[in-house]
Amino acid sequence: RVHLFPVLMKERLYIYRFIIMIFLSVILIYTVGVMRPKPMSSLIEKEKFWADKVHAKTKYNVVVAGDSRVYRGISSEMLSEELGGLKVLNFGFSSGGLNNEIFNEIEKRLVKDDQTIIVLGVTPYSLTPKAQLNEHFKQEKERDEMEVFRRRFVSPVIHFFDPITPTDIIYTKDGQKGYYERFHKDGWVASLKTPIDSNAALESYKKNFKDNKVSQKVLQEIYIRVAEWKREGISVFAFRCPSTEGMVLLENKVSGFNESEIKKNLTASGAKWIGVNRKNKYSSYDGSHLQEESAIRFSKYLGQVMRKNL
């Protein structure tokens, strides 16, 4: 027993040292996590953002549908402020189409009352056959349940392990090359790509519309659905997402998009068309998507016009 006592004390000392080491490691990880710079675009926040948008069961008074010009260009918070605090969801997706698949998903997220509103962010691409595939939405919708659970509830708890690059450490929004993104739980992604090039997207959009024009069949299905919503007492608004003058000219020329005709038919179906106020001079970082500041200004304008028409 006398000989065992020093051995036991030594073992306890090792255990205490191990516990202290674990405790200090946790403190160090937490401190580094708090003090380190935020990534330009957080992978963990991005995964949670899309998983929540598709799989959360929250209900809203207002749902805005569309493609990436919508999810990068419409701040739900600004709309909500202008609409007296109504709960707003931005339900835009990359290369997203406006069709019954998305419309059915919208209805699942709506609070059905006298303040139910659907907003359609119309772009030429959202009316094309390729957009109707809704590949981004389906990718998120069809993820394995365990993967969805990880993205929504596990990864955010260990966000200190979010990948970070040397670029993030020296990042300044106006000067460093890269993609700045901030993911808001209401569906909006505040965005800026640097260096800014307002013509960057023109060539890719020209290719996107090759053998992929605005579909009259898609438009007819939208007109029918809008009329159904109108009969159900749902207020419907529609607008053409703002971009650059160069992009508008390109799309009008090669996409088959006829804004005046679409406006007339949507209005006849029961929607209220909101024209883009060009005097506000919204800025795009690539010719297609609005910079964060412009997205906020446009969202406020959109909300103000909607409030006057409700």
Side-chain angles (χ1 to χ4, degrees), residues 154-165:
V154 178
S155 293
V157 176
I158 55 172
H159 66 276
F160 294 151
F161 299 102
D162 204 3
I164 190 168
T165 67

Side-chain angles (χ1 to χ4, degrees), residues 20 111 132 160 243 266 277 283 308:
I20 292 172
V111 176
Q132 305 316 300
F160 294 151
S243 55
L266 279 172
N277 185 356
S283 299
K308 293 176 183 178

Side-chain angles (χ1 to χ4, degrees), residues 250-282:
L250 172 69
E251 290 177 330
N252 289 347
K253 182 179 179 181
V254 303
S255 72
F257 186 86
N258 186 328
E259 183 170 344
S260 60
E261 188 72 16
I262 292 171
K263 172 185 175 181
K264 182 182 76 172
N265 289 329
L266 279 172
T267 302
S269 300
K272 295 173 183 175
W273 182 268
I274 300 176
V276 176
N277 185 356
R278 299 290 175 188
K279 293 180 180 179
N280 287 338
K281 296 182 179 179
Y282 303 112

Side-chain angles (χ1 to χ4, degrees), residues 55-119:
H55 296 280
K57 305 300 182 184
T58 311
K59 300 284 187 178
Y60 298 84
N61 306 104
V62 185
V63 177
V64 188
D67 58 19
S68 58
R69 286 187 195 171
V70 165
Y71 82 71
R72 295 189 187 277
I74 305 299
S75 165
S76 303
E77 183 181 354
M78 291 299 103
L79 273 187
S80 178
E81 285 185 10
E82 296 298 332
L83 296 174
L86 292 181
K87 201 168 184 179
V88 181
L89 171 67
N90 182 322
F91 200 62
F93 293 88
S94 291
S95 302
L98 294 175
N99 56 28
N100 286 323
E101 178 180 38
I102 292 298
F103 297 158
N104 291 337
E105 293 290 333
I106 287 174
E107 290 191 358
K108 294 176 185 177
R109 291 159 174 77
L110 282 172
V111 176
K112 298 295 181 67
D113 57 22
D114 59 351
Q115 291 184 313
T116 303
I117 304 170
I118 294 173
V119 186

Side-chain angles (χ1 to χ4, degrees), residues 98-100 127 129 132 213-224:
L98 294 175
N99 56 28
N100 286 323
L127 306 174
Q132 305 316 300
K213 310 295 184 186
V214 170
S215 166
Q216 292 303 311
K217 180 183 177 182
V218 170
L219 283 168
Q220 289 304 318
E221 290 177 352
I222 294 174
Y223 301 148
I224 292 171

Side-chain angles (χ1 to χ4, degrees), residues 225-262:
R225 197 61 176 262
V226 168
E228 290 176 0
W229 287 332
K230 183 67 176 178
R231 287 193 294 271
E232 293 172 11
I234 298 174
S235 298
V236 183
F237 292 87
F239 64 95
R240 182 177 185 175
C241 298
S243 55
T244 61
E245 185 177 349
M247 179 64 75
V248 171
L249 291 172
L250 172 69
E251 290 177 330
N252 289 347
K253 182 179 179 181
V254 303
S255 72
F257 186 86
N258 186 328
E259 183 170 344
S260 60
E261 188 72 16
I262 292 171

